[in-house]
Amino acid sequence: MKFSEIQKKEVIDATKGSFLGYVEDATIDIANGKVESLHVNIGERSLFFDSKQKNVKKIPLKDISIIGKDIVLVGKKGGKE
């Protein structure tokens, strides 16, 4: 999967069922080439991502449940693992 495909996805908190934002960027460990966290732009999507924007939350990859066709789910629904 290309990162540009992930940027088009909504991020949803599965525990609360709330919309968090859209994937904007990622932190990648250059030593092993693995994604460590996704940067979610809190709020509405814009056509031009502003890198100076302050409303960005980093979500560790371990907290992401599913990267689906249309959305990214964060957390475990119902608190179960």
Side-chain angles (χ1 to χ4, degrees):
M1 176 180 286
K2 295 179 182 178
F3 184 72
S4 61
E5 295 173 13
I6 295 175
Q7 282 182 308
K8 300 174 185 175
K9 298 182 187 302
E10 294 181 357
V11 180
I12 306 293
D13 183 344
T15 58
K16 298 176 185 175
S18 61
F19 171 76
L20 296 177
Y22 292 91
V23 176
E24 181 178 280
D25 203 356
T27 301
I28 299 172
D29 182 353
I30 58 171
N32 62 21
K34 294 186 179 184
V35 175
E36 292 182 345
S37 63
L38 294 179
H39 303 197
V40 177
N41 181 8
I42 307 300
E44 295 185 23
R45 175 196 273 188
S46 67
L47 294 175
F48 305 101
F49 291 114
D50 183 7
S51 61
K52 296 178 185 176
Q53 202 167 19
K54 302 290 185 199
N55 296 334
V56 175
K57 179 177 181 179
K58 291 183 180 181
I59 299 177
L61 196 61
K62 66 180 178 71
D63 292 345
I64 296 174
S65 301
I66 297 171
I67 299 177
K69 180 180 175 186
D70 297 322
I71 63 171
V72 175
L73 288 179
V74 177
K76 304 289 183 191
K77 188 173 181 180
K80 297 179 183 176
E81 296 197 19

